[in-house]
Amino acid sequence: MTDVQIALIQALQAHAAWLEVPMLAFSFLGEPEFYLLVIAALYWCWDTRLGLRLALLMGITGGVNEALKVAFHLPRPYWVCPEIRALGSHPSFGLPSAHAQGSASFWGLLAADVRWKWFTVFAVGMAFLIGASRIFLGVHFPTDVLAGWAIGAAVLLGFLALERPVGRRIAALPLSGQVLAAFIGSLALGLASFGALAALGDWEVPASWAAGALEQSGEAIHPLDLLDAVMASGLFFGFAAGAAADRHPGSICAEGKGSVRLFRYVFGLAVAGAIWYGLGLLSPQGAVPAAYLFQYLRAAVAGAWVSFGAPAFFARYCPGA
């Protein structure tokens, strides 16, 4: 089965080289940075509720993906086959594909919210192209992508089934209880990956995988590093806790001209970037407890800025007219 998948990737790269630029573009549309750009635009400028739903869903699906990657601990194609060109790279394990899983969840929720037939077709097409791009770029086997789509759809269905009953229970809590619920949820997401890592025992990444990845891409791999899992956990907490603390959710989205909303968006992203990259300069190096704690706090602060800090600032200083 693996040989067939490798042959497929080689054939795509050899006979459809003109697809490299489009596939890189579609791959970017599956990156966390792209999702954050869209979520911030929705939350600050258009539909706060949809932005919040997307943020929580992507935090959940990201945490699930990180845990499953460690649980399966399988390689990426370019780690094990020198004939496959690494047109992209990533230090984590391959199964399931985070791009495929995230795209199924993200575009699936948008389609469920919009409920226009043409948009549903567009959303399915986007999820397909994002997943397919990862196969072409040599960073995922087709089975990684298929598993990602299936898991992303399952997470989405679970989210849609539970968001109302769980949301009503949490909304009935005082603010302290809502923040505590957000914290417990974020811990559950993070601990899933640490539990999967503990289950591996003394298993180590094969030296041939590390050598192959470095030779093909020029970048070292560290798939047992759980900083991305901690980041997803921290973002979930910061965004959920910040949204709970926002006393006027959605009020700024209904106000202001297009130019005012554009200013909010640009300013909000600039501050978010300053928080993320500024705190990143202070982060301890390596996968040590201090680094994990700092990564969690860094992500939580960035998430809280999006859902609470920026809306509070906009409501006071640039409500718009």
Side-chain angles (χ1 to χ4, degrees):
M1 182 64 176
T2 300
D3 291 340
V4 173
Q5 296 187 77
I6 288 176
L8 173 62
I9 298 170
Q10 288 179 298
L12 288 173
Q13 292 187 340
H15 301 296
W18 59 274
L19 283 173
E20 180 175 347
V21 172
M23 291 296 102
L24 286 169
F26 283 117
S27 182
F28 171 73
L29 298 182
E31 294 286 348
E33 291 83 357
F34 172 76
Y35 295 136
L36 289 173
L37 290 174
V38 176
I39 288 169
L42 287 170
Y43 201 89
W44 295 336
C45 308
W46 190 259
D47 186 336
T48 295
R49 181 174 179 273
L50 179 57
L52 174 61
R53 295 172 72 210
L54 278 171
L56 297 179
L57 173 62
M58 296 311 290
I60 293 169
T61 201
V64 169
N65 182 265
E66 291 293 333
L68 290 176
K69 281 183 182 295
V70 176
F72 289 115
H73 54 283
L74 293 175
R76 294 175 182 268
Y78 74 93
W79 295 7
V80 296
C81 182
E83 288 76 27
I84 290 179
R85 291 188 296 151
L87 302 177
S89 64
H90 203 279
S92 68
F93 292 115
L95 178 72
S97 164
H99 277 66
Q101 184 176 331
S103 65
S105 296
F106 183 86
W107 290 102
L109 182 57
L110 285 178
D113 186 83
V114 173
R115 297 184 181 181
W116 295 339
K117 289 184 178 180
W118 71 265
F119 188 83
T120 298
V121 174
F122 174 78
V124 171
M126 287 299 299
F128 173 80
L129 289 170
I130 290 169
S133 73
R134 305 302 284 172
I135 298 172
F136 180 90
L137 296 176
V139 293
H140 279 298
F141 292 106
T143 48
D144 300 344
V145 172
L146 291 173
W149 283 330
I151 295 166
V155 171
L156 171 63
L157 291 175
F159 180 85
L160 291 174
L162 295 174
E163 66 169 329
R164 287 189 178 180
V166 173
R168 283 195 295 266
R169 286 177 177 268
I170 293 177
L173 298 173
L175 176 59
S176 59
Q178 294 181 42
V179 172
L180 179 60
F183 181 65
I184 292 173
S186 75
L187 283 186
L189 288 174
L191 289 176
S193 291
F194 283 93
L197 180 61
L200 294 183
D202 58 359
W203 184 88
E204 296 182 358
V205 177
S208 60
W209 294 4
L214 185 60
E215 181 179 353
Q216 289 292 90
S217 68
E219 296 184 12
I221 61 172
H222 41 84
L224 297 179
D225 180 338
L226 300 182
L227 287 173
D228 284 348
V230 172
M231 178 183 70
S233 176
L235 283 171
F236 179 90
F237 171 63
F239 210 105
D246 186 2
R247 296 295 88 188
H248 305 287
S251 60
I252 63 168
C253 295
E255 302 174 355
K257 301 176 182 177
S259 58
V260 174
R261 299 188 190 195
L262 179 61
F263 169 78
R264 293 175 187 150
Y265 185 61
V266 173
F267 178 81
L269 286 181
V271 174
I275 291 171
W276 184 253
Y277 293 106
L279 291 178
L281 297 175
L282 305 176
S283 179
Q285 299 300 308
V288 297
Y292 285 129
L293 177 60
F294 194 91
Q295 181 80 331
Y296 182 89
L297 294 174
R298 173 192 183 199
V301 171
W305 163 255
V306 175
S307 62
F308 176 75
F313 180 89
F314 298 151
R316 180 166 184 175
Y317 295 106
C318 52

